[in-house]
């Protein structure tokens, strides 16, 4: 048991920004747009740091895949209490097509390399809403997974995870090494303290290329078109229930 | 036509996106950006939603001050060994601006604790004094205040009539101090009193007095126009006895300590004024997008656009002056003139921007449903305290004339 936890942090467009589709419909506008750490990744970092403060784990390593700018996201994780960072350099076209499958291959390779006991990720990213990376990473490593976690309790090498599912809450017990994905109610991420921001300056961020990890980041998916959601149309008011039934039949809904 | 259209689109997007343009942030080092973002997140999530109520209730935000203490914001420049964050003055100015953008009262509470209370003790205190008077005031559990002004003199600081006489192993203080920010919530104060009347301003000394303390009482809380969540009142000293070891710095050093402290303090106020100006600009620009008149959002009207442009220009200019003064201070270079310029520019920007913001909002700017009226009330004091605009002009003029000394 190395006591090492890997936390994935993704740099996404800030949740408060109004998204605009590029005029050529190949994607959304990212230039000059405010970016920040994916909110679910913040929750993941917070959980890892809390485990370290309880002395249940020894080291928190923050990982991010992307171009130079993701270093800022890693630095924010360090300011929240992570011990060191790993920047997996992916840029240009590769970055545009980077998706859960490639990222989970990278995380799996890093988990083996770093001999991690636990990987904590956000349940999904707010830009693509894929909700796949955690599950794929666990599958590639053949590790158990506790997804949509709203409560995590670690006891030696056993993890109790309370999961938020459609029907309510499900409690499972899994053995380390494992993958956990954080849901909204897992915790409330702390504000980085100024002393920790200062300390973050001295913490190391290692640079690594996907090729070094034996991972091919080419994508099997091709984005054909990106469009805004259709404008909401005005509704129609009807006088009686019969009118309503008539209109629904007209529209072919019943 | 195409160029005009493009320019207007650019203004629309820049103003309407409500998003910081990368080029503004690109000037600051990475850690300062992270720190600024942290303070902004805190201010927007924890201060902005309660600011109106705090103002209505004249209520000291004790819980938030403790949280800010835990973040290290109540003692930004204090070294870590004494419990502070160990960051530079630029970081402090960024923090105060973002916090003031959420709540101007909280901004001044943070600023007074950092610049006016911890500042002089850090610079002039003995190691013993630092341990006793600094460390407990870094956590947000306790805040300090600064007592220089008197009912008889504000700008005329050299005419301090509060007296301190030595009696055995004690100093005995007598007099009244006026307009003391934080005093109803403070646990200690830096007080300036005359030890040698014949030496005029060279006969003033600085003292550290715990609060509460026998012989020290507080006047009624002033009912102010703005920054109502921070308390302001008189401090009355009647045979207030303190140990000899409570003198800060050397005897007769008081005026020098006060002036140097205010030099830095005025950057904190400049930062507060910037926060207020920015908040007012945020409010006006957002409204310009949403409010329609004459068939379109009012942001399309040149009258409104020119106002927003002037407001943004005033704020950004003052911000750059403030950053520059802070960077000079951090580089241990002379910064008195630049600090005075920053405080003057920022406070006049705050009053100008908040005034225009109400104008942009029209009737909505006059009612408490929108924060514009609070920004207008909060902004006004920034031209007065920690050196009136008139004093700032004197400081700048003196420095300019010195540069051209014949």
């Amino acid at each position: 048991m190395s006591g090492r936890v890997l936390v994935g942090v993704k740099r996404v467009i800030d949740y408060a920004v109004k998204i605009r589709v590029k005029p050529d419909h190949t994607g959304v506008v990212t230039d000059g747009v405010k970016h920040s750490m994916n909110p679910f990744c913040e929750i993941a970092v917070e959980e890892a740091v809390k485990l370290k403060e309880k002395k249940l784990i020894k080291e928190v390593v923050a990982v991010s895949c992307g171009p130079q700018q993701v270093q800022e996201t890693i630095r924010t994780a360090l300011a929240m209490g992570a011990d060191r960072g790993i920047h997996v350099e992916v840029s240009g076209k590769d970055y545009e097509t980077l998706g859960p499958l490639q990222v989970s291959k990278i995380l799996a390779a890093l988990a083996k390399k770093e001999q991690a006991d636990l990987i904590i990720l956000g349940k999904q990213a707010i830009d693509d809403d894929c909700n796949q990376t955690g599950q794929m990473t666990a599958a590639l490593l053949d590790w158990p997974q506790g997804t949509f976690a709203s409560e995590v309790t670690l006891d030696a090498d056993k993890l109790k995870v309370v999961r938020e599912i459609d029907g309510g809450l499900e409690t499972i017990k899994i053995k380390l090494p494992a993958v956990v994905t954080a849901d909204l109610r897992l915790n409330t991420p702390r504000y980085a303290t100024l002393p920790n921001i200062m300390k973050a300056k001295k913490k190391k961020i290692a640079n690594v290329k996907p090729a070094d990890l034996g991972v091919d980041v080419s994508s099997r998916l091709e984005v054909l078109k990106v469009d805004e959601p259709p404008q909401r149309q005005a509704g129609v008011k009807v006088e009686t229930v019969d009118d309503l039934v008539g209109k629904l039949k007209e529209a072919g809904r019943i | 036509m195409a160029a005009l259209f493009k320019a207007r689109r650019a203004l629309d997007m820049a103003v309407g996106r409500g998003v910081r343009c990368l080029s503004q942030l690109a000037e600051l080092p990475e850690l300062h950006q992270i720190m600024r973002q942290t303070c902004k997140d805190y201010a927007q999530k924890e201060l902005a939603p309660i600011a109106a109520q705090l103002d209505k209730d004249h209520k000291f935000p004790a819980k938030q001050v403790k949280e800010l203490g835990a973040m290290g914001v109540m003692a930004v420049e204090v070294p870590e060994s004494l419990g502070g964050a160990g960051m530079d003055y630029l970081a402090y100015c960024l923090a105060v601006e973002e916090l003031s953008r959420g709540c101007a009262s909280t901004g001044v509470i943070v600023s007074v604790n950092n610049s006016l209370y911890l500042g002089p003790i850090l610079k002039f205190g003995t190691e013993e004094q630092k341990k006793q008077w600094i460390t407990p005031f870094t956590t947000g559990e306790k805040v300090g205040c600064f007592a220089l002004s008197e009912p008889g003199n504000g700008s005329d600081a050299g005419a301090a009539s509060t007296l301190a006489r030595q009696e055995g192993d004690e100093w005995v203080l007598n007099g009244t101090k006026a307009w003391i920010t934080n005093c109803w919530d403070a646990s200690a104060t830096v007080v300036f009193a005359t030890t040698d009347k014949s030496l005029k301003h060279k006969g003033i000394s600085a003292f550290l007095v715990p609060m509460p303390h026998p012989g020290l009482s507080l006047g009624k809380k002033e009912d102010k126009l703005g920054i109502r969540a921070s308390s302001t009142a008189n401090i009355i000293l009647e045979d207030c006895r303190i140990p000899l070891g409570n003198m800060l710095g050397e005897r007769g050093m008081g005026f020098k300590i006060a002036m140097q402290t205010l030099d830095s303090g005025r950057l904190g106020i400049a930062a507060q004024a910037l926060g207020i100006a920015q908040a007012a600009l945020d409010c006006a620009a957002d409204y310009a997008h949403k409010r329609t008149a004459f068939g379109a959002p009012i942001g399309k009207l040149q009258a409104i656009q020119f106002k927003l442009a002037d407001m943004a220009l005033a704020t950004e200019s003052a911000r750059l002056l403030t950053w520059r003064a802070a960077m000079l201070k951090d580089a241990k270079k002379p910064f008195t003139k630049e600090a005075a310029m920053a405080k003057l520019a920022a406070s006049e920007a705050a009053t100008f921007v908040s005034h225009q913001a109400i104008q942009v909002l029209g009737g909505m700017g006059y009612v408490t449903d929108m924060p514009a009226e609070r920004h207008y009330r909060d902004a006004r004091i920034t031209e007065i305290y920690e050196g009136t605009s008139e004093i700032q002009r004197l400081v700048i003029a003196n420095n300019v004339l010195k540069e051209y000394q014949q």
Side-chain angles (χ1 to χ4, degrees):
Chain A
M1 294 284 288
S2 67
R4 190 169 297 129
V5 176
L6 276 190
V7 182
V9 294
K10 188 178 180 187
R11 179 176 184 263
V12 298
I13 295 179
D14 188 82
Y15 75 91
V17 170
K18 187 171 194 301
I19 307 291
R20 270 166 232 278
V21 174
K22 279 204 269 207
D24 61 7
H25 291 270
T26 56
V28 298
V29 178
T30 54
D31 275 345
V33 170
K34 180 161 183 263
H35 284 67
S36 42
M37 190 190 293
N38 182 39
F40 294 108
C41 298
E42 282 183 4
I43 298 175
V45 173
E46 175 66 23
E47 197 60 23
V49 173
K50 273 168 106 152
L51 287 173
K52 194 176 97 159
E53 284 171 347
K54 288 188 198 145
K55 300 212 193 315
L56 295 169
I57 57 133
K58 293 207 196 84
E59 192 186 24
V60 178
V61 183
V63 180
S64 193
C65 307
Q68 187 58 26
Q69 292 96 308
V70 307
Q71 293 229 356
E72 203 183 293
T73 312
I74 301 175
R75 199 71 68 184
T76 306
L78 296 175
M80 284 173 73
D83 298 292
R84 60 185 166 88
I86 300 176
H87 171 200
V88 182
E89 292 167 15
V90 180
S91 50
K93 202 80 189 46
D94 282 338
Y95 182 57
E96 281 171 38
T97 57
L98 193 67
L101 185 55
Q102 301 101 307
V103 173
S104 46
K105 284 180 184 168
I106 290 170
L107 290 176
L110 279 173
K112 288 204 193 100
K113 185 160 175 269
E114 297 283 337
Q115 297 181 304
D117 294 328
L118 179 59
I119 300 176
I120 309 181
L121 307 172
K123 71 170 180 182
Q124 67 198 58
I126 60 170
D127 50 8
D128 54 22
D129 279 336
C130 283
N131 188 347
Q132 296 168 5
T133 307
Q135 293 87 333
M136 284 177 171
T137 309
L140 287 168
L141 288 165
D142 199 23
W143 286 6
Q145 55 182 268
T147 53
F148 309 102
S150 67
E151 200 186 306
V152 167
T153 321
L154 178 58
D155 183 9
D157 67 338
K158 295 202 187 35
L159 210 52
K160 184 179 93 174
V161 182
V162 178
R163 307 179 55 229
E164 297 204 8
I165 60 172
D166 287 344
L169 296 173
E170 177 194 59
T171 308
I172 61 169
K173 277 210 181 87
I174 53 178
K175 253 177 93 173
L176 295 185
V179 175
V180 167
T181 71
D183 207 326
L184 191 62
R185 279 155 282 270
L186 181 56
N187 60 47
T188 307
R190 64 194 58 195
Y191 293 100
T193 67
L194 268 50
N196 279 346
I197 293 175
M198 284 293 282
K199 286 197 189 103
K201 217 197 282 193
K202 300 192 193 93
K203 293 179 183 171
K204 292 211 174 350
I205 301 180
N207 290 315
V208 148
K209 289 196 178 49
D212 301 340
L213 300 168
V215 174
D216 169 21
V217 288
S218 55
S219 178
R220 291 166 177 70
L221 302 174
E222 188 196 331
V223 172
L224 297 175
K225 195 165 182 237
V226 175
D227 270 326
E228 295 205 1
Q231 290 278 41
R232 206 178 154 177
Q233 299 297 327
V236 173
K237 267 188 169 161
V238 293
E239 296 293 307
T240 69
V241 175
D242 287 330
D243 284 347
L244 177 61
V245 172
K247 287 248 180 247
L248 286 170
K249 277 194 176 149
E250 244 176 73
R253 298 293 190 204
I254 51 169
Chain B
M1 272 310 285
L4 258 172
F5 177 72
K6 257 200 205 152
R8 215 165 78 172
R9 279 273 297 169
L11 173 63
D12 283 347
M13 284 172 69
V15 169
R17 224 186 268 144
V19 151
R20 285 241 120 138
C21 201
L22 260 184
S23 61
Q24 279 177 296
L25 297 178
E27 305 299 324
L28 293 170
E30 189 184 351
L31 282 170
H32 285 77
Q33 288 182 43
I34 293 180
M35 197 228 78
R36 188 185 199 188
Q37 188 60 46
T38 305
C39 289
K40 183 175 177 191
D41 287 341
Y42 184 85
Q44 296 309 312
K45 287 192 194 125
E46 311 285 340
L47 295 176
I50 60 169
Q53 198 59 43
L54 288 175
D55 170 76
K56 232 179 234 145
D57 298 339
H58 297 237
K59 184 162 173 253
F60 181 79
K63 172 170 176 277
Q64 287 72 23
V65 167
K66 284 201 193 94
E67 286 169 359
L68 288 168
M71 282 165 72
V73 172
M74 294 305 286
V76 180
E77 258 199 315
V78 172
E80 279 191 74
S81 55
L82 288 168
M87 290 190 91
D88 59 20
Y89 218 70
L90 178 60
Y92 163 65
C93 289
L94 294 168
V96 172
E97 181 188 337
E98 291 301 336
L99 294 175
S100 301
R101 191 176 176 184
C103 173
S105 302
T106 309
V108 77
I109 293 167
V110 170
S111 175
V112 166
N113 197 57
N114 269 282
S115 295
L116 299 188
Y117 174 73
L118 294 173
I121 306 174
L122 204 56
K123 201 160 176 198
F124 298 96
T126 63
E127 288 314 307
E128 242 337 284
Q129 283 175 332
K130 285 183 196 172
K131 279 203 204 91
Q132 190 189 347
W133 301 91
I134 288 186
T135 309
F137 292 79
T138 58
T139 61
E141 295 284 328
K142 295 187 175 179
V143 297
C145 60
F146 178 85
L148 175 66
S149 290
E150 296 175 358
N153 53 268
S155 295
D156 191 8
S161 67
T162 302
L163 294 172
R165 67 173 191 278
Q166 191 175 342
E167 258 182 29
D169 58 354
E170 282 180 330
W171 288 107
V172 185
L173 299 150
N174 275 286
T176 310
K177 293 294 184 183
W179 310 121
I180 312 307
T181 305
N182 277 357
C183 75
W184 271 89
D185 309 288
S187 302
T189 177
V190 176
V191 180
F192 294 85
T194 302
T195 36
D196 300 284
K197 216 165 160 92
S198 57
L199 297 174
K200 302 258 182 70
H201 69 265
K202 291 219 173 101
I204 300 175
S205 307
F207 300 90
L208 298 162
V209 184
M211 291 163 77
H213 194 72
L216 187 151
S217 56
L218 301 173
K220 74 161 178 38
K221 255 198 228 185
E222 302 291 351
D223 187 5
K224 305 190 294 290
L225 177 65
I227 54 159
R228 306 222 284 226
S230 85
S231 55
T232 308
N234 286 2
I235 288 181
I236 301 141
L237 302 156
E238 292 166 302
D239 279 350
C240 179
R241 293 171 182 277
I242 48 172
L244 285 181
N246 281 31
M247 176 177 273
L248 182 65
E250 305 286 314
R251 188 172 177 141
M253 232 189 188
F255 189 76
K256 180 175 138 183
I257 294 176
M259 292 304 109
Q260 284 190 25
T261 303
L262 288 171
D263 260 355
S264 321
R266 62 190 46 141
L267 281 178
I269 297 306
Q272 184 206 18
L274 287 175
I276 299 170
Q278 189 63 51
L281 177 56
D282 293 344
C283 183
D286 185 67
Y287 195 78
H289 265 292
K290 294 183 175 147
R291 171 70 176 179
T292 55
F294 304 100
I298 59 173
K300 300 266 182 236
L301 300 166
Q302 245 185 16
I304 300 296
Q305 289 181 359
F306 283 3
K307 282 191 202 299
L308 292 172
D310 289 337
M311 289 156 78
L313 174 60
T315 309
E316 195 61 31
S317 314
R319 181 172 292 127
L320 289 175
L321 276 170
T322 307
W323 287 5
R324 180 162 140 73
M327 288 188 222
L328 284 170
K329 179 178 194 285
D330 287 333
K332 301 213 187 339
K333 300 229 160 65
F335 68 102
T336 304
K337 180 183 79 166
E338 287 78 6
M341 286 176 149
K343 201 262 185 185
L344 178 59
S347 53
E348 293 193 342
T351 47
F352 168 71
V353 174
S354 55
H355 180 111
Q356 291 302 322
I358 293 188
Q359 200 65 16
V360 170
L361 266 62
M364 280 311 284
Y366 204 65
V367 295
T368 54
D369 301 55
M370 293 291 268
E373 58 83 27
R374 191 182 77 245
H375 299 321
Y376 184 75
R377 290 186 288 107
D378 285 340
R380 196 58 190 86
I381 189 62
T382 60
E383 285 196 55
I384 297 171
Y385 62 12
E386 286 195 50
T388 58
S389 297
E390 290 68 33
I391 291 292
Q392 303 307 334
R393 287 187 162 88
L394 287 179
V395 171
I396 298 168
N398 280 334
N399 276 278
V400 168
L401 285 168
K402 232 188 269 175
E403 287 165 26
Y404 288 88
Q405 196 84 42
Q406 299 298 320

